[in-house]
Amino acid sequence: MNDPTRRILMGRIHGAFGVRGELKLESFSDPPEAVFRYRPWVLRDAQGRERELDGGRGRSTAKGIVLQLPGVDDRDAAEALRGSELWVPRGALPPPKPGEYYWVDLEGLRVVNTAGIDFGTVSHLFSTGANDVLVARGERERMIPFIEPDYVTSVDFDAGVVTVDWDADF
């Protein structure tokens, strides 16, 4: 959780916005415009090449988040960045509020049920719209609604364990 070298995926570029080099950005922050608060940005292109960005800025519009990057001055340059990802160091994010978690901090924690049965580790989480779902991978994959305290009874970062009230046969 406190690994200063770990980076968090904060957004993905979906192409050009207009003709002046602006970019359409899918932001993974909540709210979406919060992505502009976290620095430094690292841009990873589709080939995996990375570069740290300095001086990028953006705004929220009725059509979504728009990003302007230094050196990207026309539509062709913007289109060339389609599919690139925007990353920030984990340490750039503020500490979560009590009882809240960054999904990335949960990844890799052991998952056990209240009977002590090991379900493996947290692979990832995703949102269904109704609730978030924790995916535990061990001898098989389990999808557990991330609803506290009904199904997720505790998260212990010191012990590296998420305890769930979930039947081993599900």
Side-chain angles (χ1 to χ4, degrees):
M1 180 168 106
N2 295 320
D3 181 358
T5 63
R6 187 169 195 177
R7 285 195 241 146
I8 310 302
L9 178 62
M10 295 299 292
R12 184 169 290 115
I13 295 173
H14 285 285
F17 183 86
V19 297
R20 295 187 198 143
E22 292 181 307
L23 303 152
K24 293 183 277 187
L25 178 70
E26 176 187 10
S27 173
F28 301 138
S29 63
D30 184 22
E33 55 276 354
V35 70
F36 301 120
R37 291 186 221 147
Y38 313 122
R39 302 289 171 113
W41 290 343
V42 174
L43 187 70
R44 181 181 298 162
D45 68 18
Q47 289 75 38
R49 295 180 300 241
E50 296 182 349
R51 65 180 165 123
E52 190 167 311
L53 300 173
D54 188 31
R57 62 187 195 285
R59 68 186 192 280
S60 182
T61 71
K63 293 187 176 185
I65 301 296
V66 175
L67 178 64
Q68 180 70 54
L69 299 177
V72 181
D73 300 321
D74 61 35
R75 186 173 184 83
D76 291 336
E79 278 298 328
L81 292 174
R82 181 185 295 268
S84 294
E85 299 171 335
L86 189 68
W87 294 76
V88 299
R90 168 60 182 90
L93 302 176
K97 296 175 185 166
E100 292 184 357
Y101 313 98
Y102 287 117
W103 287 0
V104 69
D105 293 341
L106 298 170
E107 292 172 2
L109 296 181
R110 279 188 37 246
V111 180
V112 298
N113 74 358
T114 53
I117 298 171
D118 192 325
F119 287 172
T121 61
V122 177
S123 166
H124 62 283
L125 291 96
F126 64 91
S127 180
T128 65
N131 59 272
D132 298 332
V133 175
L134 179 147
V135 179
R137 287 195 181 141
E139 83 282 353
R140 66 184 180 97
E141 184 176 89
R142 291 181 174 85
M143 289 185 260
I144 304 164
F146 198 95
I147 300 173
E148 293 179 289
D150 298 344
Y151 302 114
V152 176
T153 60
S154 70
V155 176
D156 185 342
F157 286 108
D158 293 331
V161 175
V162 176
T163 303
V164 296
D165 188 0
W166 198 252
D167 191 293
D169 293 329
F170 282 176

